[in-house]
Amino acid sequence: MYMNVPFLSLHDVTAMHGDEIREAARRVIDSGWYLQGKENELFEQHYAEYIGTKYCIGCANGLDALIWIFRAFIELGIMQPGDEVIVPANTYIATILAITENGLKPVLIEPRRETLEIDDYLIEAAITPRTKAICVVHLYGRCAMTDKIADLCKKYNLKLVEDNAQAHGCRWNGKRTGSIGDAAGHSFYPGKNLGALGDAGAVTTDDEELAKAIRALANYGSQKKYVFKYTGRNSRLDEIQAAILDVKLKYLDEDIKKRQAVAAYYYDHISNPLIELPTRLPDENNVYHLFPVLAPQPPKGGVSTRDRLHDYLAEKGIGTVIHYPIAPHKQECYAKEDWNIPQLNLPVTEYLADAELSLPISPCMTQEQVEWVTKCLNDFK
């Protein structure tokens, strides 16, 4: 038997609110105003209200959002090149790129195997007099924040930066991720729970001075036309993307509930000793941007169990994606960095890179598709 189950159909996701999205794009086109206009103002206002912060600054993408946070801390004299930022070793490389782009030193901390998120019990031993921030990454849509991390930030007077690129709508202690720390970077890449029809991003914060610096940095360094306080770059959210995001924001919580329903079925029905599921979190702590599973068994016939599972599911019509097969500290771009010589030994991170496979999960999946994915997983040998 074969059933087509795409990993994520952006066509279907867009079609759910297609008429409103087309009307939003048409409204911008007809307005004749395509940058830094009313659509940006409205989306920034609505997204700040949704996240629970005073300020939201739209920018070109999620990487830039994180870059501008660290750059603003440097411009404001809170950090300087050479300072250290604690960051999970198991993350998409953009988190670390934002740190190194600013001449800061990433200090990579292993995750817990069962949660896939940063191991907060390993952080304190890595703090030095040069440590200025902890950057938590709510990877896969799972909340990475803990009381221990909050206590460490207070104890050592560290800034808390959130990489919220994959966790729009997630909560911790009643607050939405993106409002927990000093600032947060958000990505609206099309495949995200809140996705644009192209690249887009934002920063959220309650810090007015930081917000002003970030807005200027992302606008060539200018706070006033033709007056440049900083040497910035052009990193602005365009009006069409802002308008589309504002449409989709209205349905974000509804879409998350659909993802959570798919995840609940997976957790309740996947039963195969070859496949490990990460610790199940309460729904408020997981918006299921991705549904990662682990296939850690030794290779069979020279092929890893994870790769065999990927190929087997593909034969059944099921799309899966490997996140992330090469850990950041093993990437060529960081091979000659002093903080990675000799190359870091991070066995948990490397294990996850070898064992992780993400299953289909989206607000568009049918119950029949969910049941088919589960059956195929349980039949895998």
Side-chain angles (χ1 to χ4, degrees):
M1 185 177 170
Y2 178 98
M3 182 185 297
N4 183 38
V5 186
F7 178 71
L8 175 66
S9 171
L10 292 178
H11 176 273
D12 291 347
V13 169
T14 303
M16 289 194 303
H17 316 299
D19 290 343
E20 286 184 72
I21 288 171
R22 280 186 285 271
E23 175 54 35
R26 188 180 302 113
R27 183 175 68 244
V28 175
I29 292 167
D30 291 346
S31 76
W33 193 287
Y34 308 129
L35 280 172
Q36 296 183 297
K38 289 182 179 179
E39 302 295 345
N40 259 265
E41 291 177 13
L42 280 174
F43 174 68
E44 288 179 350
Q45 175 191 334
H46 294 157
Y47 194 63
E49 290 170 354
Y50 178 83
I51 294 296
T53 56
K54 293 179 181 176
Y55 307 102
C56 170
I57 306 97
C59 60
N61 53 68
L63 171 58
D64 278 5
L66 291 169
I67 287 173
W68 300 134
I69 291 170
F70 290 112
R71 174 71 181 280
F73 281 137
I74 291 172
E75 294 288 356
L76 296 174
I78 296 166
M79 298 180 189
Q80 59 183 349
D83 284 342
E84 296 171 356
V85 178
I86 287 173
V87 63
N90 177 44
T91 184
Y92 183 53
I93 198 169
T95 318
I96 299 169
L97 287 171
I99 296 167
T100 59
E101 171 80 8
N102 283 290
L104 301 168
K105 179 181 176 182
V107 178
L108 276 58
I109 303 296
E110 287 266 63
R112 289 184 189 164
R113 172 170 166 161
E114 67 273 15
T115 68
L116 314 180
E117 306 293 340
I118 191 168
D119 188 338
D120 54 3
Y121 282 91
L122 300 178
I123 293 175
E124 189 164 17
I127 295 173
T128 76
R130 294 304 301 268
T131 306
K132 292 297 189 293
I134 298 174
C135 180
V136 294
V137 183
H138 306 297
L139 201 65
Y140 312 114
R142 301 169 61 89
C143 180
M145 190 60 188
T146 67
D147 290 332
K148 189 170 185 65
I149 293 173
D151 291 342
L152 289 172
C153 287
K154 291 177 183 177
K155 180 178 179 180
Y156 293 98
N157 191 29
L158 303 177
K159 294 296 183 183
L160 177 63
V161 176
E162 295 177 81
D163 182 339
N164 202 50
Q166 299 186 5
H168 324 111
C170 194
R171 291 182 184 271
W172 180 73
N173 287 353
K175 298 180 68 174
R176 292 201 193 272
T177 55
S179 69
I180 298 166
D182 295 277
H186 307 255
S187 169
F188 305 123
Y189 180 80
K192 299 295 169 64
N193 288 23
L194 179 61
L197 299 190
D199 277 321
V203 174
T204 54
T205 182
D206 283 331
D207 186 326
E208 182 179 10
E209 189 177 18
L210 190 72
K212 288 180 177 177
I214 289 169
R215 190 176 295 282
L217 285 164
N219 186 36
Y220 298 95
S222 173
Q223 291 179 318
K224 180 181 178 183
K225 194 168 185 179
Y226 300 131
V227 178
F228 301 92
K229 185 172 183 177
Y230 310 110
T231 53
R233 290 214 315 249
N234 177 10
S235 176
R236 299 179 298 206
L237 178 63
D238 73 67
E239 287 286 279
I240 286 181
Q241 300 301 346
I244 290 168
L245 287 167
D246 206 41
V247 169
K248 297 179 76 173
L249 179 60
K250 296 185 296 184
Y251 302 101
L252 178 56
D253 286 343
E254 177 185 324
D255 291 347
I256 288 170
K257 288 178 181 178
K258 293 176 182 177
R259 289 174 176 270
Q260 289 168 337
V262 174
Y265 191 91
Y266 284 159
Y267 270 111
D268 291 342
H269 295 90
I270 293 174
S271 178
N272 185 329
L274 296 178
I275 299 169
E276 290 182 15
L277 275 61
T279 301
R280 188 173 183 175
L281 300 176
D283 277 352
E284 72 167 359
N285 302 137
N286 196 345
V287 295
Y288 295 101
H289 168 56
L290 299 171
F291 193 96
V293 299
L294 304 175
Q297 298 299 314
K300 184 177 181 181
V303 181
S304 76
T305 302
R306 189 267 308 280
D307 292 349
R308 285 199 304 112
L309 179 59
H310 172 276
D311 294 346
Y312 160 80
L313 293 174
E315 291 173 1
K316 301 293 184 180
I318 299 166
T320 59
V321 173
I322 297 169
H323 296 95
Y324 301 95
I326 305 174
H329 70 286
K330 290 205 160 189
Q331 297 287 354
E332 184 178 353
C333 63
Y334 285 136
K336 297 180 181 179
E337 297 296 317
D338 59 357
W339 52 265
N340 198 25
I341 297 176
Q343 187 177 82
L344 295 170
N345 178 32
L346 300 168
V348 181
T349 298
E350 292 159 21
Y351 155 77
L352 294 177
D354 291 338
E356 193 276 345
L357 187 70
S358 295
L359 304 181
I361 188 164
S362 87
C364 301
M365 286 185 75
T366 66
Q367 185 62 26
E368 187 180 23
Q369 287 176 320
V370 178
E371 291 175 6
W372 175 244
V373 172
T374 305
K375 180 185 185 306
C376 290
L377 285 165
N378 289 339
D379 290 345
F380 176 70
K381 296 177 182 178

